[in-house]
Amino acid sequence: MKLKRTISSMAFALVMVLSVTAQTQSGIVKSRGRMINGQHVHGQGLAGATVQIKGRASVLVKDKSGAFSFPINSKQFVILSVKKNGYQLVDVDAAPKTYNYSTAPIYLIMETPAQQMEDKLASERKLRRTLTAQLQKREDEIEALKEQNRITQEQYHNALQQLYDQQESNEKLVSEMAEYYSRIDYDQMDEFNRQVSELILAGELTRADSLLRSKGNIDERIRKLNRHHDANVEMRQMLEKSELAEQLTREDVARDCFNMYRRFVLGNEPDSALCYIDKRAGLDTTNLQWQADAVSYLIKRGLPQLVAPYSGRVMNAARTLAGDADAEQRSLLAKTLNNMALSYSDSPTYSREATALFEEALTLFRGLARDDASAFAPHVASTLNNLAVHYSRISNDYNKIETLLREALQTYDTLLAEDSMTYLPITASIWNNMALLLDETGRDGECEQAYSRSLDLYSQVKKETDAYDADYAAALNNLSAYYFNKGKNLYDSRNLLNEAIEIYRRLSELDAPKFAPMLAVALNNLSVQDFAFNKTVEGENAFNESLNIYRNLVGNTSSYYLAKLAGGLYEQAIRYYQHDDLEKSEALFAESLEAYRKLAAGNNTLFAPQEAKLLRNLANVYDKRQRWQEAGELYQEELAINTELARENPDEYTSHLARTYGNLSNHAILKRDFARAVDYARSGLELDDTRLFIQANLAAALLFMGETDQAQAIYTKYRNELRDTFLDDFTQFEALGIIPAGVMDAVNQIKKLLTNNK
């Protein structure tokens, strides 16, 4: 069961305390400023929005510019909510929130959910193109170093594997960065930062480098900042203005550190990216966002052992804030706990910590929702779903998971009545999670209803936007798989799957690296259904299209898709083998083997087991086609691989090695080399005597050698467990003319022994 989770976003701003008297605070409610084709396009004011301020009547924004104002009598005020029909806050932490008075207006940025999603998808496409290009560039550089003999074969393999290992973590980082870019209001950025952000987003990393470095060396700027800070410590009373300058500089340096971090992520230079995210975190150890970003990056990099300094700072700062009874501070802590839990949940090492953090965050959000349901009920529901997803990964406590999902759904059903477009997609997603859970627990009727509910909600979303079409297609695919696996509504099953395929086709034309693999999976599912109902031509067409997608992707990226291609070839080869189409099975096994050979050359530890599996299967096909020489060569190659694997990891691979000896024993019988068949069988049984098929090979080889007593002892001992295997073997061996004429009487006696004991 694989559920989807939702994230309660976290964005914290450092608050500066300024001395003010009773003043009028101004603000602007507007849409997001964007960069379009390299040009800055200003956002539009949103008249008709309602801003609710604590202790005051709500302010209706009437001006077309989105401007509003209200009087305040203290240094601080609380904006409880900002609402406009069909819109949502881009920064979900903008309300409820405590603000300090400022002579500058407060900007409250809102967008339609559809536009927000479209902005994110557009950013993802640009970022993924850049990352793909950088990965290919790094592969080319590594290949060049190898061709110039500037690195050893081991260094070459390690470098390629490191690129492959980074592929999945980079995908998460691309999504995270796309979220960041989709929330930027370019109207509030100066021209320098607009240019830097646009260059990074467009993949012009060298130009972004140059522009960032035009301000000078960041290390030198940090040293200068620290010197500035030291001076301020000694002259605090005299340098209030300088402290403000320090903070502005700190934020400016931090932004550039973050820009450098993102630049190196896209440049596929993880060590440099870590360096700059660490520099940023060190600029202010009390800034929760900067520490949490470092934690998130380390978890995605697979380095959870390095998170302790940053996570410690987060928790210390958050718990200090929690001592304040103010709702904003408690909200800040709850969001911190939730997002720390999300980071920890990605690492099995920290599953217990993630559970505790999710539950603590949920308790805080529940308390906040009792006082202000409209502001915090969505956070309660989101955290409930996150906790359910987390439990689905670490336990089989289906009752607990279901309880969490149902409470989340109850909350979202209430929210739908208030703002359907904002909450329709996430509610549809959780209904899909519920369907997966109900399917896992065998509750067919409820499962089908949950899938139908999910699809109904996604259909409502489609009427307004196509931003969630990929999720809709996934739900179609899931329901199709449910129908097929249960053997019901098979006509509907195929129609649902075809609808999902058409959606993935359209999306693949827009963003092939992201959606083409999804299309390939759906096509493979279609081929499975077609083959199951003997629609061989349709099944082959769907399967071949799926494979061609992976072949095209292999040419444009690293080994990631080559592994997908190899796996797909193997699955289809098995399918043909099961239908006794040995010619097609052989061709696909051979192509899959060639792919795994390439993969194993780059990472033997990871892919050698799959290579051995393909050697065994292809050798078996050769045996069936009586190509003994080719089969024997492949079995020997498999033996060499499994011998090495068993030496390095005996607990996992000794049994595999035993099976290899068993296969060699059977192969030797087919070649009428009975003495060697006995040797191979005994070697296999020494390693693993639970592999009973080897006993069948040993018995047959001994019998055909004339060692009747030894053979009969085995046939007698295993006549119950292996009766059908023994008899099937005799049938096969007789058909191939393998049984020596001199032992036919003994064979007939053994058959009689076996059949009389039925």
Side-chain angles (χ1 to χ4, degrees):
M1 178 177 58
K2 189 174 183 181
L3 308 186
K4 292 179 62 179
R5 71 185 183 191
T6 57
I7 300 175
S8 178
S9 64
M10 177 174 65
F12 307 122
L14 194 64
V15 178
M16 294 175 290
V17 179
L18 305 175
S19 297
V20 296
T21 57
Q23 300 279 354
T24 297
Q25 177 66 55
S26 63
I28 296 175
V29 181
K30 60 182 287 293
S31 62
R32 200 168 67 87
R34 293 178 174 77
M35 297 294 287
I36 301 177
N37 297 326
Q39 299 298 315
H40 175 207
V41 177
H42 288 277
Q44 301 297 312
L46 296 176
T50 302
V51 183
Q52 184 178 2
I53 299 98
K54 186 175 182 179
R56 295 192 158 276
S58 297
V59 178
L60 177 64
V61 179
K62 298 179 180 179
D63 195 284
K64 291 182 179 180
S65 69
F68 66 95
S69 63
F70 54 91
I72 60 171
N73 297 315
S74 63
K75 296 178 181 179
Q76 293 184 324
F77 57 92
V78 177
I79 294 181
L80 296 174
S81 65
V82 185
K83 296 182 179 179
K84 178 175 171 60
N85 189 36
Y87 285 78
Q88 63 184 25
L89 282 169
V90 170
D91 176 8
V92 296
D93 295 319
K97 180 178 178 179
T98 300
Y99 291 84
N100 293 308
Y101 168 77
S102 173
T103 56
I106 295 168
Y107 286 87
L108 300 169
I109 312 302
M110 305 188 81
E111 281 294 356
T112 65
Q115 183 64 58
Q116 190 69 18
M117 178 57 70
E118 288 168 7
D119 287 349
K120 182 182 178 183
L121 292 176
S123 297
E124 279 190 0
R125 288 194 290 271
K126 292 181 180 179
L127 293 167
R128 193 172 287 103
R129 283 197 295 270
T130 298
L131 184 58
T132 299
Q134 291 297 321
L135 283 169
Q136 188 62 56
K137 179 181 177 183
R138 289 289 298 131
E139 281 192 332
D140 293 342
E141 290 171 354
I142 293 169
E143 290 290 345
L145 291 173
K146 178 189 173 188
E147 290 174 4
Q148 298 165 13
N149 293 322
R150 294 172 61 186
I151 57 176
T152 65
Q153 186 73 9
E154 182 180 359
Q155 290 172 326
Y156 168 74
H157 289 165
N158 290 340
L160 284 179
Q161 182 55 35
Q162 188 176 14
L163 278 181
Y164 176 77
D165 288 342
Q166 291 163 6
Q167 180 76 10
E168 292 191 4
S169 64
N170 284 341
E171 183 66 25
K172 294 179 182 178
L173 291 166
V174 163
S175 179
E176 196 173 80
M177 291 172 68
E179 182 75 19
Y180 168 82
Y181 277 108
S182 69
R183 295 183 181 280
I184 289 177
D185 179 18
Y186 284 91
D187 294 345
Q188 297 182 65
M189 298 173 69
D190 59 31
E191 185 60 28
F192 178 87
N193 281 291
R194 277 198 288 264
Q195 289 183 38
V196 169
S197 293
E198 188 66 3
L199 287 171
I200 292 176
L201 185 58
E204 299 185 41
L205 305 183
T206 302
R207 289 183 61 192
D209 251 358
S210 177
L211 192 57
L212 286 166
R213 296 181 191 281
S214 69
K215 288 187 177 182
N217 180 272
I218 281 186
D219 287 323
E220 179 54 36
R221 291 166 68 190
I222 291 174
R223 286 192 289 270
K224 182 177 179 181
L225 170 65
N226 289 336
R227 290 195 296 270
H228 196 164
H229 175 72
D230 291 342
N232 281 337
V233 170
E234 298 175 4
M235 306 177 65
R236 182 63 60 195
Q237 297 302 318
M238 298 174 59
L239 298 176
E240 184 175 350
K241 292 183 179 180
S242 183
E243 283 187 332
L244 178 58
E246 172 199 342
Q247 186 54 47
L248 293 173
T249 303
R250 186 182 307 281
E251 292 174 352
D252 188 44
V253 174
R255 277 192 298 270
D256 289 345
C257 281
F258 198 51
N259 284 329
M260 291 296 283
Y261 154 74
R262 288 181 283 123
R263 174 258 178 274
F264 282 118
V265 166
L266 281 182
N268 204 40
E269 299 177 61
D271 291 338
S272 296
L274 176 57
C275 173
Y276 283 98
I277 200 72
D278 174 70
K279 291 179 190 294
R280 177 181 182 240
L283 287 171
D284 183 355
T285 58
T286 66
N287 187 297
L288 304 185
Q289 183 70 58
W290 298 356
Q291 312 311 314
D293 285 345
V295 170
S296 178
Y297 180 66
L298 288 166
I299 293 291
K300 289 182 175 68
R301 280 282 313 278
L303 300 170
Q305 68 275 15
L306 301 182
V307 306
Y310 309 99
S311 61
R313 294 170 187 170
V314 171
M315 300 314 299
N316 288 338
R319 294 190 188 286
T320 299
L321 292 172
D324 193 322
D326 185 271
E328 183 194 358
Q329 306 298 345
R330 286 183 284 128
S331 171
L332 183 64
L333 174 57
K335 291 169 185 175
T336 302
L337 294 170
N338 179 71
N339 287 281
M340 286 291 292
L342 287 172
S343 294
Y344 280 136
S345 186
D346 285 334
S347 172
T349 307
Y350 288 92
S351 61
R352 184 176 300 176
E353 288 84 350
T355 302
L357 292 170
F358 273 134
E359 290 179 342
E360 189 173 352
L362 182 59
T363 298
L364 282 166
F365 278 134
R366 287 191 198 280
L368 289 162
R370 281 193 290 271
D371 297 330
D372 190 348
S374 63
F376 292 106
H379 292 297
V380 172
S382 177
T383 308
L384 285 164
N385 185 60
N386 290 346
L387 186 54
V389 172
H390 176 66
Y391 274 123
S392 74
R393 292 175 172 176
I394 65 172
S395 78
N396 292 324
D397 190 345
Y398 297 128
N399 289 334
K400 188 174 188 67
I401 297 168
E402 182 177 352
T403 298
L404 292 166
L405 289 176
R406 289 203 181 279
E407 186 179 350
L409 285 170
Q410 184 178 4
T411 302
Y412 278 122
D413 283 341
T414 301
L415 292 169
L416 283 175
E418 301 175 5
D419 188 348
S420 61
M421 279 311 300
T422 297
Y423 298 111
L424 271 173
I426 188 173
T427 309
S429 174
I430 299 178
W431 272 112
N432 187 67
N433 287 349
M434 178 63 79
L436 290 170
L437 173 70
L438 293 168
D439 191 8
E440 190 81 9
T441 54
R443 292 150 68 182
D444 292 351
E446 294 175 81
C447 173
E448 187 171 350
Q449 291 175 5
Y451 274 131
S452 297
R453 175 63 171 155
S454 176
L455 285 174
D456 177 63
L457 293 171
Y458 276 128
S459 297
Q460 294 179 50
V461 175
K462 279 179 64 64
K463 294 176 183 177
E464 302 294 333
T465 176
D466 60 2
Y468 295 93
D469 278 7
D471 292 330
Y472 177 55
L476 289 167
N477 182 75
N478 288 348
L479 182 54
S480 171
Y482 168 77
Y483 282 149
F484 178 73
N485 292 333
K486 299 298 180 182
K488 58 189 291 188
N489 297 351
L490 298 178
Y491 179 78
D492 289 341
S493 171
R494 204 168 189 280
N495 287 340
L496 290 167
L497 192 50
N498 277 317
E499 185 178 355
I501 287 170
E502 289 310 307
I503 293 173
Y504 285 137
R505 283 192 201 283
R506 176 171 53 78
L507 293 174
S508 295
E509 292 175 0
L510 300 174
D511 190 349
K514 180 174 183 178
F515 295 110
M518 300 178 189
L519 173 59
V521 170
L523 285 165
N524 185 68
N525 291 347
L526 182 61
S527 74
V528 170
Q529 294 194 19
D530 284 338
F531 277 106
F533 295 103
N534 296 318
K535 295 183 177 181
T536 306
V537 174
E538 294 91 334
E540 288 183 341
N541 290 338
F543 169 71
N544 287 330
E545 185 179 356
S546 174
L547 283 188
N548 286 333
I549 289 172
Y550 284 126
R551 288 188 179 107
N552 291 333
L553 290 168
V554 166
N556 296 319
T557 186
S558 63
S559 301
Y560 181 76
Y561 291 116
L562 183 59
K564 298 285 189 182
L565 173 62
L569 288 163
Y570 174 77
E571 289 177 7
Q572 182 64 14
I574 291 291
R575 215 174 284 149
Y576 282 134
Y577 182 85
Q578 291 169 342
H579 286 79
D580 292 323
D581 192 337
L582 297 181
E583 184 176 352
K584 290 180 179 177
S585 178
E586 176 188 334
L588 294 180
F589 275 140
E591 187 180 353
S592 181
L593 175 60
E594 185 62 27
Y596 277 124
R597 286 192 197 279
K598 292 179 181 178
L599 291 164
N603 188 326
N604 188 65
T605 302
L606 186 61
F607 291 109
Q610 287 91 338
E611 183 183 3
K613 178 176 65 177
L614 262 297
L615 287 163
R616 177 176 67 253
N617 281 282
L618 185 54
N620 185 255
V621 172
Y622 285 155
D623 270 342
K624 282 184 174 292
R625 305 190 76 180
Q626 300 185 37
R627 290 158 61 180
W628 315 121
Q629 182 65 29
E630 294 166 279
E633 291 172 357
L634 294 183
Y635 280 131
Q636 290 295 335
E637 194 175 346
E638 181 202 3
L639 178 65
I641 292 173
N642 280 335
T643 299
E644 181 62 21
L645 289 171
R647 185 186 64 79
E648 296 175 353
N649 190 347
D651 290 343
E652 184 171 355
Y653 291 107
T654 296
S655 184
H656 291 261
L657 181 57
R659 179 174 56 188
T660 305
Y661 277 115
N663 292 336
L664 278 165
S665 176
N666 183 73
H667 173 71
I669 292 173
L670 296 175
K671 290 182 66 179
R672 300 169 178 79
D673 190 348
F674 304 130
R676 182 164 294 183
V678 169
D679 291 339
Y680 282 138
R682 285 174 172 162
S683 295
L685 291 170
E686 275 185 38
L687 295 170
D688 185 356
D689 60 6
T690 66
R691 294 276 189 181
L692 294 186
F693 84 95
I694 305 178
Q695 296 283 4
N697 292 339
L698 177 59
L702 288 168
L703 182 60
F704 299 162
M705 287 175 65
E707 300 290 344
T708 308
D709 290 343
Q710 293 185 55
Q712 184 163 344
I714 298 172
Y715 284 120
T716 301
K717 180 177 180 179
Y718 294 104
R719 63 178 178 266
N720 292 325
E721 297 98 320
L722 297 176
R723 177 184 292 111
D724 291 341
T725 300
F726 290 147
L727 293 172
D728 288 344
D729 283 352
F730 284 138
T731 300
Q732 179 191 16
F733 295 148
E734 282 187 76
L736 293 172
I738 290 171
I739 302 175
V743 300
M744 280 304 300
D745 288 344
V747 169
N748 290 328
Q749 288 179 7
I750 297 297
K751 287 183 179 179
K752 185 175 181 180
L753 168 72
L754 296 171
T755 54
N756 285 343
N757 281 276
K758 275 194 174 182

